[in-house]
Amino acid sequence: MDHITFLVAMVIVTALAFDFTNGFHDTANAMATSIATGALRPKVAVGISGVLNLAGAFLSTEVARTISGGIVDDSLVTPGMIFAGLVGAILWNLMTWLLGLPSSSSHALFGGLIGAVWVGAGRGGVHFDKVVEKILIPAVASPVVAGLAALAATYLAYRITARAPKDGVSKGFRTGQVASASLVSLAHGTNDAQKTMGVITLALISCGALGHDAGPPVWVVLTSGLAIATGTYLGGWRIIRTMGKGIVDIESPQGFAAESAATAVILTSANLGFALSTTQVCSGGILGAGVGRRLAEVRWSTAGRMALAWLVTLPAAAAVGAVAAGAVVHGGTLGTVLIAVAAVVIAAVIVLLSRRNPVHADNVNSAPTTSVRRSATAHAGA
Amino acid sequence: MDVKWGSLGEVAVVSFGATVGVVLFFALGVRALAGRDAARTAGQDGTALTAAAGACFAVCAGAVLYGLYLIIPQFH
């Protein structure tokens, strides 16, 4: 029993850590364009987003009973594999944050789990057809839909307001952005905090601390909500800079169009049962909004690097998850401790590297992302 | 494998329509407000334009409320 309890405790701690990185990584989705256009001051934006994420965690009553949406065989999943998968997801989230890349936290979590289950339970534990159906197809389709919608909306918005005085127009759309960004934050809280609650609840059920059909206890809801809200409030400024300033020099009508498109896609697909990545939808919307105004303004090199990060996220997190699962499954408690220590060390190194080139509330709107990445790589190599 | 192409198409069409609709009305509202200001500066009465702007923003507010309804499961 001791062994199981230790492992379950590790799962809870890593799940909360993942939740934190999730909030931290995804603040940009809702708030990047509002910060870039000046609709909200940076600190205010992350504050609103944090509160709405916490509210979202409490609002959603539907318990994530299957943590994975059928992507892996839940009956074969052990706490050790969940732990390994979470380690993979956290490390990938931190790595992409260091590079300022808006990659998907959901894909990182799914990837980590897939890798861990593949190693821990064999290839049969992963339902690859579900992976294609639930992850790959929405991953390709959703940013395209959001992008096209934002493109058409941006074009219309500029056409309609072409003769109106520019000041009034930007002010009007900036006000609208406050509402659209808040909706994205709330939708994010209901979706992403749920995932962590599901993971912790599953771990508690697997060790017998909870009955089989139990929902998450209040303390799980509270800690998950707080973890994601704290992460959101601290703000992944690097990613906010990339999304707000790196892809397109965004104006308030574009920000409003991008956020409206993201909200529309997230809500309609959640309603029809498609799991998708908030990050990818929001980036798609921003890209579309850039194209809708003037094609040349989109920094395609940044967009390309972002797309590459999307492709790599799932397999990369899976690889880390697989390595971690190997150690946990074969190494027992010692392996688990080693992996935990290794994860903490790598996380600390990433945070230290980020200190050399910090991005925070005061300089989030200043420089385009390219310099972030170059100097980060240079420092890493130095 | 059972890819629900129909639902996927539905998501695409509904999202596209909702986005373009909301932004269209918001932009019309912004333009009406700007028109009202111009009318007032010219010494005219801008009541009709104020009403038009109000109607446009009301449509957008309706869309936001519907979004909240979708997000919050307690309402279902």
Side-chain angles (χ1 to χ4, degrees), chain A residues 165, chain B residues 31-44 49:
Chain B
R31 184 161 90 168
L33 272 190
R36 180 199 66 176
D37 291 345
R40 280 192 181 161
T41 322
Q44 293 158 330
L49 283 168

Side-chain angles (χ1 to χ4, degrees), chain A residues 59 133 156 160 172 261 267-268, chain B residues 2 14-15 19 24 26 31 74:
Chain A
L59 278 177
E133 180 196 329
L156 268 178
I160 291 171
L267 290 183
T268 41
Chain B
D2 173 32
V14 173
S15 315
T19 308
L24 176 75
F26 199 87
R31 184 161 90 168
Q74 279 85 344

Side-chain angles (χ1 to χ4, degrees), chain A residues 71-73 76 113-115 117-118 122-129 131:
Chain A
I71 287 155
V72 294
D73 191 338
L76 295 176
L113 277 176
I114 289 170
V117 171
W118 193 338
R123 198 179 169 284
V126 183
H127 299 151
F128 284 98
D129 53 340
V131 173

